[in-house]
Amino acid sequence: MSIKIITDSASDIGKDLAKDFSIDIMPIAIMKDDKTYLDGVDISGKEIYDDMRNGAVYKTGAITPHEYEVKFEEVLNKYDKAIYVSLSTGMSSTFNNAVLAKNSLGIGDDRLLLVDSRGASMGQGMMAINLAKLAKGGMSFEELEAYADNFVKNTRYVFFVDSLEYLQRGGRVSKLKATIGNLINMKVILDVHADGVIYTKDKVRGTNRAIAKTVDIFEEEVGHELYDDRIMVCHADCIDLATKVKDALVEKYPDKTIELNPFAVSIGAHTGPGTVHICAVRKFN
């Protein structure tokens, strides 16, 4: 039985990894003024973040139901079954559009599984990669569905935004709050709840406090029993800041593998360069 894994570009799976595990990546639309780009196809995260530093405002657009229809038909003409791992419904309408496409085509649950990751970046990416590994290893479609459900329930994210300026540009905080916040060097710490929605967790002054508080919150929420003993530190074009977060994590998790990775542009286009998030999956059976 052949099973194809599909995800979208919010998963942060690079072209090489996608090729290694035979994962299809559907690009999310990135818009600036009257121009539309495809994430990872004709625009890179580096280009976007540099442009944002110079005052540009970017928006993102969900993959359309028609695009999903084309992809699902293409894949299921070649494979027995498929699994699509989506960016969180709490952050985008991608998953709902995939559901519309599946229903429109009349594809049954026995052939196409749609998974709401309730997250993004490498939480979503790790799930897609692991599903691809397990499918190649012979795990059944039903077992993969149960695995995906457990993975979603046990994935945790905590992150902080280095500047409120980018949230203000996108209309997520008022100009007054952003101005005052930046003047006093305020950092906003956020996390992703079980519903896949981003919430404000705390606010602190200064980068060092933000790093320490973010790591503390991560430890409280995730603990030390981690799936694959792995922690991902993802960043929006701020490798030096991400390295400081990694160093702080090493002190608390000296026996874990801690990796740095670029942050999903579909989220970073709203939070801006300087965003760092920590992601891990709690151990499950």
Side-chain angles (χ1 to χ4, degrees):
M1 179 180 66
S2 58
I3 301 174
K4 183 69 169 180
I5 307 301
I6 311 165
T7 189
D8 51 63
S9 59
S11 64
D12 281 344
I13 297 176
K15 293 179 181 178
D16 289 342
L17 273 178
K19 184 178 180 181
D20 288 345
F21 295 103
S22 188
I23 298 172
D24 280 8
I25 310 292
M26 298 186 69
I28 289 173
I30 309 289
M31 288 92 72
K32 175 190 172 185
D33 300 325
D34 60 346
K35 294 183 178 179
T36 298
Y37 307 90
L38 293 179
D39 180 18
V41 176
D42 47 21
I43 194 167
S44 68
K46 178 64 175 173
E47 291 175 273
I48 290 171
Y49 295 134
D50 282 346
D51 207 13
M52 290 180 74
R53 291 186 177 101
N54 291 323
V57 176
Y58 283 87
K59 297 181 180 179
T60 57
I63 299 166
T64 67
H66 175 69
E67 289 171 317
Y68 280 118
E69 288 179 13
V70 172
K71 172 55 71 174
F72 293 158
E73 284 191 314
E74 170 197 318
V75 167
L76 291 175
N77 280 333
K78 298 177 181 178
Y79 296 84
D80 297 321
K81 301 174 185 291
I83 300 174
Y84 169 60
V85 181
S86 170
L87 170 63
S88 173
T89 51
M91 304 177 200
S92 170
S93 58
T94 52
F95 180 80
N96 292 331
N97 287 350
V99 172
L100 289 174
K102 178 182 177 181
N103 292 340
S104 176
L105 294 171
I107 302 172
D109 293 340
D110 60 331
R111 292 206 69 200
L112 176 61
L113 171 65
L114 304 180
V115 181
D116 176 3
S117 72
R118 298 184 203 164
S121 193
M122 281 309 293
Q124 176 185 348
M126 287 189 295
M127 189 194 313
I129 290 170
N130 286 344
L131 285 169
K133 289 179 182 177
L134 294 169
K136 187 176 181 180
M139 183 176 280
S140 73
F141 198 63
E142 293 73 20
E143 289 172 325
L144 290 169
E145 181 175 7
Y147 174 89
D149 184 57
N150 277 323
F151 203 100
V152 169
K153 290 177 180 177
N154 287 283
T155 305
R156 293 291 179 270
Y157 307 81
V158 183
F159 60 107
F160 69 89
V161 177
D162 191 51
S163 172
L164 298 181
E165 176 185 355
Y166 304 105
L167 293 175
Q168 182 269 319
R169 286 186 200 170
R172 284 163 176 76
V173 299
S174 71
K175 185 173 183 178
L176 177 61
K177 285 183 178 179
T179 301
I180 293 173
N182 286 332
L183 282 173
I184 62 174
N185 201 20
M186 182 70 70
K187 312 296 180 184
V188 179
I189 301 172
L190 308 107
D191 68 355
V192 181
H193 288 199
D195 57 3
V197 177
I198 297 172
Y199 293 89
T200 299
K201 185 73 174 182
D202 206 345
K203 297 175 184 177
V204 297
R205 292 178 64 177
T207 300
N208 290 337
R209 288 181 180 176
I211 292 172
K213 187 64 176 179
T214 300
V215 170
D216 285 345
I217 292 172
F218 174 82
E219 184 180 29
E220 291 170 6
E221 293 192 358
V222 179
H224 285 256
E225 294 296 314
L226 304 181
Y227 184 89
D228 202 26
D229 283 336
R230 186 178 305 276
I231 301 172
M232 302 301 301
V233 179
C234 301
H235 64 92
D237 196 33
C238 53
I239 187 69
D240 291 344
L241 187 55
T243 299
K244 291 180 181 179
V245 174
K246 178 180 177 180
D247 291 343
L249 283 165
V250 168
E251 293 184 11
K252 291 180 178 288
Y253 295 90
D255 59 335
K256 308 300 181 188
T257 299
I258 303 173
E259 298 181 11
L260 300 179
N261 199 74
F263 185 43
V265 175
S266 55
I267 308 301
H270 302 286
T271 61
T275 302
V276 179
H277 90 74
I278 311 170
C279 171
V281 183
R282 296 183 305 196
K283 187 172 290 186
F284 61 88
N285 296 324

